[in-house]
Amino acid sequence: MKTALLFLITALLITGCMSTPPAPQQSDDGLQLVQQSSFDSLYLRPGADFSQYSNIQFETMPLAYSDERRTNSLPTLSDEDFQFSEKEMGYFQARASKGFVEGFGKSINAQGSLIVRSRISDFYLTAPIKNSIIQPDKSFVQESSRMTIVTELVEANSQQVLLRVTDKLTTGDIGTNSNHLNRMTSVSYWQDVYREFRRWGSRLKTASQ
């Protein structure tokens, strides 16, 4: 009896430690939690009107790489082979910016400016995109990269945050055909980044309406 009771108490303690605490209904800066959204979390400022912004300013995104171990990589490759060079980082930022701005769109006959401020964590590149690395058996992928992103939409003049969203993004040919693999190159990867951030911009536009 005592053994069973001890087991039950231990199980309850473990379950309590593993459960994720609910997100607060209001953030410290006055944003309200949107219930049942398609994002990991979405906060909006009550009364925010996104139709008054015609100028979208996409800031450079800080990026932190995932520490996930790569068990299927070729032994000759290092972690640095799966990270961006300075030039590649510039391409990534440019394609993400172009995609997001086109996906979010601009309001006609509006004059306000909106800042897009994001940060990326747990960034994982599925295969190297450096032209100097040749690995034909490893470069056919469905998912080209994945990441966690936090994006804030900020009113430029007041610097007031109007929207804050957290979610996971995945680039590549996802959700179309589970058996379809594409050859991953630098060219195809920049196209993946553009498409995913265009979807991200479109999703945030819908969420802000």
Side-chain angles (χ1 to χ4, degrees):
M1 181 66 179
K2 290 183 178 180
T3 302
L5 181 60
L6 180 61
F7 178 80
L8 177 61
I9 293 174
T10 302
L12 290 174
L13 288 174
I14 293 175
T15 302
C17 293
M18 293 177 61
S19 62
T20 303
Q25 296 299 307
Q26 181 171 308
S27 67
D28 293 338
D29 52 356
L31 305 184
Q32 295 291 327
L33 176 67
V34 177
Q35 301 286 355
Q36 298 179 344
S37 74
S38 62
F39 306 96
D40 286 351
S41 70
L42 172 63
Y43 285 85
L44 279 171
R45 184 167 300 281
D49 179 12
F50 291 87
S51 65
Q52 59 182 307
Y53 303 106
S54 61
N55 183 30
I56 309 297
Q57 304 172 18
F58 192 94
E59 293 188 346
T60 298
M61 301 177 290
L63 185 148
Y65 293 97
S66 170
D67 57 3
E68 180 179 343
R69 296 187 62 184
R70 300 176 183 274
T71 57
N72 297 322
S73 300
L74 293 177
T76 56
L77 299 181
S78 65
D79 289 342
E80 287 72 22
D81 294 318
F82 295 88
Q83 298 177 3
F84 294 140
S85 66
E86 183 176 350
K87 183 177 182 180
E88 291 165 347
M89 180 62 78
Y91 282 141
F92 178 83
Q93 300 284 346
R95 300 305 292 170
S97 174
K98 180 178 176 62
F100 184 93
V101 171
E102 291 187 5
F104 192 85
K106 300 179 181 181
S107 299
I108 302 175
N109 298 324
Q111 297 181 345
S113 295
L114 192 67
I115 298 172
V116 181
R117 187 172 293 158
S118 301
R119 63 181 182 274
I120 292 173
S121 61
D122 296 326
F123 181 85
Y124 185 93
L125 192 63
T126 307
I129 57 173
K130 304 182 188 304
N131 295 328
S132 59
I133 298 176
I134 301 175
Q135 47 165 2
D137 60 331
K138 299 291 183 179
S139 58
F140 284 89
V141 302
Q142 183 182 35
E143 170 190 289
S144 56
S145 69
R146 59 181 181 268
M147 68 204 82
T148 298
I149 188 169
V150 179
T151 295
E152 294 180 341
L153 301 184
V154 183
E155 208 282 325
N157 290 331
S158 66
Q159 290 294 302
Q160 188 177 59
V161 178
L162 305 179
L163 177 151
R164 181 180 297 116
V165 59
T166 303
D167 210 0
K168 297 175 181 63
L169 302 185
T170 302
T171 63
D173 189 16
I174 306 301
T176 56
N177 185 340
S178 60
N179 296 319
H180 182 67
L181 299 177
N182 289 319
R183 177 71 181 270
M184 182 172 166
T185 65
S186 59
V187 174
S188 70
Y189 182 66
W190 303 134
Q191 293 172 343
D192 288 348
V193 171
Y194 167 80
R195 285 193 294 265
E196 182 60 18
F197 274 85
R198 184 172 181 174
R199 283 193 290 265
W200 184 235
S202 177
R203 291 178 63 198
L204 264 61
K205 181 69 171 182
T206 300
S208 68
Q209 294 173 341

